[in-house]
Amino acid sequence: LDFDGGPPLHYLLADASGASAVVEFVDGRKVITHGATALTNFRVAGAAAGDIDRRYATIQAALAARAGALDWRQSLDVLRSVVQSHTQWSVAYEPRSGAVHLVARQKWETVHEFSVR
């Protein structure tokens, strides 16, 4: 995907079994990183430990502290802790049930809920 100088795009994909991967497009090539559990505006592919974005590192630390098991409210709390002034949405997914919990424009008191099933 080429957006003529726009932001690089990447996608976090997961299924109901818990299998996950980040798909990114780097220099015109599709790069897949299996086992990814979070995604921020940071390229995962080819990143060294010292290159890790502060927001990504914060999310990974929160996941590690809970052995990767956060409910959707805890997930949104973690996302709120790494929000930027220009963040437009924060989303917590429940792959097994298909539930989606979305906060738009940092209005944390309003969680939009829907299902992808």
Side-chain angles (χ1 to χ4, degrees):
L1 299 175
D2 182 0
F3 282 78
D4 297 320
L9 294 179
H10 51 191
Y11 306 93
L12 174 63
L13 306 174
D15 67 18
S17 76
S20 62
V22 168
V23 179
E24 299 175 292
F25 297 89
V26 180
D27 299 326
R29 294 180 308 110
K30 176 177 62 176
V31 180
I32 300 173
T33 304
H34 293 276
T37 54
L39 193 59
T40 63
N41 297 344
F42 164 76
R43 189 173 79 195
V44 175
D51 296 333
I52 298 296
D53 169 80
R54 172 196 62 81
R55 296 169 59 241
Y56 186 82
T58 299
I59 293 168
Q60 292 298 77
L63 287 166
R66 295 177 181 88
L70 282 73
D71 66 25
W72 68 268
R73 288 178 183 85
Q74 293 167 321
S75 296
L76 287 179
D77 286 344
V78 172
L79 291 173
R80 188 174 188 175
S81 77
V82 298
V83 73
Q84 299 178 97
S85 62
H86 58 274
T87 297
Q88 293 299 305
W89 62 82
S90 299
V91 186
Y93 300 93
E94 295 183 75
R96 286 182 180 83
S97 70
V100 178
H101 311 275
L102 180 139
V103 172
R105 295 183 297 279
Q106 300 184 45
K107 294 182 180 177
W108 298 97
E109 67 283 356
T110 304
V111 179
H112 302 277
E113 298 182 331
F114 55 95
S115 177
V116 294
R117 299 220 172 173

